[in-house]
Amino acid sequence: MTETRCPWCGTDPLYVSYHDTDWGRPERDPRALWEKLILDGFQAGLSWITILRKRENFRAAFHGFRPEVIATWGEDEVARLLADPGIVRHRGKIEGTLRSARAYLEIEAKEGFSLFLWSFVGGAPIQSNLASMSDALTESPESRAMSRALKARGFTFCGPTITYAFMQAVGMVNDHLVTCPAHAECAAMA
Protein backbone atom coordinates (compact mmCIF):
# COMPACT_ATOMS: atom_id res chain seq x y z
CA MET A 1 0.00 0.00 0.00
CA THR A 2 1.55 3.28 -1.03
CA GLU A 3 -0.04 5.98 -3.16
CA THR A 4 -3.67 4.89 -2.65
CA ARG A 5 -3.59 4.52 1.14
CA CYS A 6 -6.04 6.68 3.11
CA PRO A 7 -4.28 10.05 3.44
CA TRP A 8 -5.11 10.63 7.13
CA CYS A 9 -2.18 8.52 8.33
CA GLY A 10 0.41 10.58 6.47
CA THR A 11 3.93 9.15 6.34
CA ASP A 12 4.74 8.57 10.02
CA PRO A 13 5.79 4.89 10.12
CA LEU A 14 3.82 4.20 13.32
CA TYR A 15 0.67 5.76 11.88
CA VAL A 16 1.11 3.99 8.54
CA SER A 17 1.53 0.64 10.30
CA TYR A 18 -1.57 1.32 12.41
CA HIS A 19 -3.55 2.10 9.25
CA ASP A 20 -2.25 -0.94 7.37
CA THR A 21 -2.63 -3.56 10.10
CA ASP A 22 -5.09 -2.37 12.73
CA TRP A 23 -7.53 0.42 11.82
CA GLY A 24 -10.80 -0.79 10.40
CA ARG A 25 -10.18 -4.50 10.98
CA PRO A 26 -13.25 -6.03 12.65
CA GLU A 27 -12.42 -6.64 16.32
CA ARG A 28 -14.67 -8.84 18.44
CA ASP A 29 -12.53 -9.56 21.49
CA PRO A 30 -14.32 -7.83 24.39
CA ARG A 31 -11.17 -6.84 26.28
CA ALA A 32 -9.55 -5.43 23.11
CA LEU A 33 -12.74 -3.48 22.36
CA TRP A 34 -12.75 -2.05 25.89
CA GLU A 35 -9.09 -1.03 25.61
CA LYS A 36 -9.73 0.77 22.32
CA LEU A 37 -12.81 2.53 23.69
CA ILE A 38 -10.82 3.73 26.71
CA LEU A 39 -7.93 4.93 24.53
CA ASP A 40 -10.37 6.78 22.28
CA GLY A 41 -11.69 8.50 25.39
CA PHE A 42 -8.16 9.52 26.38
CA GLN A 43 -7.75 10.96 22.89
CA ALA A 44 -10.53 13.53 23.44
CA GLY A 45 -8.96 16.92 22.76
CA LEU A 46 -5.76 15.37 21.41
CA SER A 47 -4.62 13.76 18.16
CA TRP A 48 -4.76 9.99 17.76
CA ILE A 49 -1.04 9.84 16.98
CA THR A 50 -0.37 11.19 20.49
CA ILE A 51 -2.27 8.25 21.99
CA LEU A 52 -0.77 5.79 19.53
CA ARG A 53 2.75 6.85 20.55
CA LYS A 54 1.82 6.30 24.21
CA ARG A 55 -0.23 3.12 23.69
CA GLU A 56 2.40 0.74 25.11
CA ASN A 57 2.87 3.04 28.12
CA PHE A 58 -0.90 3.01 28.65
CA ARG A 59 -0.94 -0.78 28.45
CA ALA A 60 1.80 -1.03 31.08
CA ALA A 61 0.27 1.60 33.37
CA PHE A 62 -3.18 0.02 33.16
CA HIS A 63 -1.89 -3.56 33.61
CA GLY A 64 -2.82 -4.73 30.13
CA PHE A 65 -6.23 -3.07 30.28
CA ARG A 66 -7.66 -5.92 32.32
CA PRO A 67 -11.02 -4.58 33.50
CA GLU A 68 -11.27 -7.11 36.34
CA VAL A 69 -8.09 -5.60 37.83
CA ILE A 70 -8.83 -1.95 37.10
CA ALA A 71 -12.36 -2.20 38.55
CA THR A 72 -10.79 -2.76 42.00
CA TRP A 73 -8.58 0.33 41.88
CA GLY A 74 -9.05 3.42 44.00
CA GLU A 75 -7.35 6.70 44.84
CA ASP A 76 -3.87 5.19 45.26
CA GLU A 77 -3.90 3.94 41.69
CA VAL A 78 -5.35 7.23 40.43
CA ALA A 79 -2.45 9.07 42.13
CA ARG A 80 0.06 6.62 40.62
CA LEU A 81 -1.38 7.17 37.14
CA LEU A 82 -1.46 10.95 37.54
CA ALA A 83 2.28 10.80 38.23
CA ASP A 84 3.05 8.66 35.17
CA PRO A 85 4.57 10.84 32.39
CA GLY A 86 4.16 8.01 29.87
CA ILE A 87 0.38 8.44 29.64
CA VAL A 88 -2.10 11.29 29.37
CA ARG A 89 -2.45 12.49 32.96
CA HIS A 90 -6.03 13.66 33.20
CA ARG A 91 -7.85 12.91 36.45
CA GLY A 92 -11.31 12.79 34.88
CA LYS A 93 -10.22 10.36 32.18
CA ILE A 94 -8.35 8.15 34.67
CA GLU A 95 -11.25 8.07 37.13
CA GLY A 96 -13.61 7.46 34.20
CA THR A 97 -11.52 4.44 33.22
CA LEU A 98 -12.01 2.92 36.67
CA ARG A 99 -15.78 3.48 36.47
CA SER A 100 -15.83 2.13 32.93
CA ALA A 101 -14.04 -1.04 34.07
CA ARG A 102 -16.86 -1.67 36.53
CA ALA A 103 -19.46 -0.96 33.85
CA TYR A 104 -17.64 -3.27 31.44
CA LEU A 105 -17.79 -6.12 33.97
CA GLU A 106 -21.55 -5.67 34.40
CA ILE A 107 -22.19 -5.64 30.66
CA GLU A 108 -19.87 -8.59 30.06
CA ALA A 109 -21.63 -10.65 32.73
CA LYS A 110 -25.15 -9.82 31.52
CA GLU A 111 -24.90 -9.89 27.73
CA GLY A 112 -21.30 -9.84 26.62
CA PHE A 113 -19.48 -6.60 25.92
CA SER A 114 -18.69 -7.47 22.30
CA LEU A 115 -22.28 -8.46 21.54
CA PHE A 116 -23.52 -5.29 23.23
CA LEU A 117 -21.27 -3.03 21.12
CA TRP A 118 -21.73 -4.87 17.84
CA SER A 119 -25.51 -4.75 18.28
CA PHE A 120 -25.39 -1.06 17.30
CA VAL A 121 -24.41 -2.07 13.76
CA GLY A 122 -26.59 -5.17 13.62
CA GLY A 123 -23.62 -7.46 14.24
CA ALA A 124 -21.91 -6.71 10.91
CA PRO A 125 -19.65 -3.88 9.71
CA ILE A 126 -21.22 -0.99 7.84
CA GLN A 127 -19.52 -0.58 4.45
CA SER A 128 -19.27 3.15 3.77
CA ASN A 129 -17.66 3.13 0.30
CA LEU A 130 -16.07 6.56 0.74
CA ALA A 131 -14.69 8.20 -2.38
CA SER A 132 -12.83 10.93 -0.46
CA MET A 133 -12.09 11.89 3.13
CA SER A 134 -14.54 14.79 2.81
CA ASP A 135 -17.31 12.16 2.57
CA ALA A 136 -16.45 10.70 5.98
CA LEU A 137 -18.81 11.24 8.89
CA THR A 138 -17.81 12.36 12.37
CA GLU A 139 -20.82 10.71 13.98
CA SER A 140 -23.82 8.66 12.94
CA PRO A 141 -27.18 7.49 14.31
CA GLU A 142 -25.40 4.31 15.42
CA SER A 143 -22.63 6.20 17.23
CA ARG A 144 -25.19 8.45 18.93
CA ALA A 145 -27.15 5.39 20.10
CA MET A 146 -23.96 3.69 21.32
CA SER A 147 -22.88 6.84 23.16
CA ARG A 148 -26.22 7.14 24.95
CA ALA A 149 -26.21 3.47 25.93
CA LEU A 150 -22.63 3.56 27.21
CA LYS A 151 -23.27 6.68 29.27
CA ALA A 152 -26.41 5.09 30.72
CA ARG A 153 -24.26 2.15 31.84
CA GLY A 154 -21.65 4.37 33.54
CA PHE A 155 -19.06 5.08 30.85
CA THR A 156 -17.56 8.55 30.42
CA PHE A 157 -15.66 10.24 27.56
CA CYS A 158 -17.78 8.40 25.02
CA GLY A 159 -19.67 11.07 23.12
CA PRO A 160 -20.96 10.31 19.62
CA THR A 161 -17.81 11.58 17.89
CA ILE A 162 -15.61 9.40 20.10
CA THR A 163 -17.85 6.38 19.59
CA TYR A 164 -17.82 6.95 15.82
CA ALA A 165 -14.01 7.06 15.80
CA PHE A 166 -14.07 3.89 17.90
CA MET A 167 -16.48 2.21 15.45
CA GLN A 168 -14.15 3.09 12.56
CA ALA A 169 -11.07 1.83 14.37
CA VAL A 170 -12.56 -1.54 15.40
CA GLY A 171 -14.11 -2.22 12.03
CA MET A 172 -17.76 -1.63 12.87
CA VAL A 173 -17.66 0.91 10.06
CA ASN A 174 -15.38 0.43 7.06
CA ASP A 175 -14.35 4.02 6.38
CA HIS A 176 -11.24 3.23 4.38
CA LEU A 177 -11.47 5.02 1.05
CA VAL A 178 -12.59 2.72 -1.75
CA THR A 179 -9.27 3.47 -3.48
CA CYS A 180 -7.35 2.17 -0.44
CA PRO A 181 -6.31 -1.50 -0.59
CA ALA A 182 -7.33 -1.81 3.08
CA HIS A 183 -10.96 -1.13 2.10
CA ALA A 184 -11.27 -4.43 0.24
CA GLU A 185 -9.29 -6.28 2.94
CA CYS A 186 -11.62 -5.00 5.68
CA ALA A 187 -14.72 -5.69 3.59
CA ALA A 188 -13.55 -9.28 3.10
CA MET A 189 -13.08 -9.65 6.88
CA ALA A 190 -16.68 -8.61 7.47
Side-chain angles (χ1 to χ4, degrees):
M1 285 189 240
T2 55
E3 55 279 342
T4 59
R5 180 185 286 117
C6 297
W8 58 258
C9 64
T11 59
D12 182 295
L14 182 63
Y15 226 0
V16 169
S17 175
Y18 174 71
H19 169 276
D20 291 354
T21 63
D22 198 352
W23 193 79
R25 275 64 181 173
E27 177 62 69
R28 296 196 183 260
D29 176 79
R31 197 226 42 89
L33 288 167
W34 184 73
E35 174 183 332
K36 182 65 175 89
L37 184 61
I38 295 303
L39 289 174
D40 275 335
F42 269 97
Q43 187 228 330
L46 304 169
S47 66
W48 177 245
I49 191 65
T50 299
I51 301 303
L52 195 57
R53 287 182 180 134
K54 294 176 177 278
R55 184 164 57 172
E56 292 307 317
N57 295 334
F58 271 104
R59 286 175 173 162
F62 283 94
H63 296 253
F65 283 100
R66 296 190 331 257
E68 67 278 3
V69 172
I70 296 168
T72 66
W73 289 358
E75 186 53 40
D76 288 346
E77 288 81 6
V78 170
R80 174 184 61 81
L81 292 165
L82 285 170
D84 187 337
I87 66 167
V88 173
R89 296 178 287 180
H90 183 286
R91 179 176 285 277
K93 292 176 182 181
I94 292 169
E95 289 174 344
T97 300
L98 276 58
R99 285 190 302 276
S100 296
R102 295 178 197 112
Y104 165 93
L105 293 175
E106 287 181 23
I107 296 168
E108 181 67 12
K110 289 180 183 172
E111 60 200 285
F113 192 66
S114 182
L115 290 174
F116 168 73
L117 292 175
W118 277 91
S119 72
F120 293 96
V121 293
I126 296 168
Q127 302 299 319
S128 296
N129 297 313
L130 301 176
S132 74
M133 293 308 300
S134 63
D135 296 331
L137 301 175
T138 57
E139 61 180 70
S140 67
E142 295 85 0
S143 76
R144 288 189 287 275
M146 182 186 286
S147 173
R148 283 190 304 273
L150 286 166
K151 288 177 182 179
R153 303 281 185 110
F155 280 78
T156 57
F157 293 95
C158 60
T161 301
I162 289 173
T163 54
Y164 192 78
F166 165 77
M167 292 168 72
Q168 291 173 306
V170 300
M172 292 179 185
V173 177
N174 183 356
D175 270 357
H176 282 284
L177 297 180
V178 293
T179 56
C180 177
H183 182 273
E185 292 170 17
C186 292
M189 292 176 173

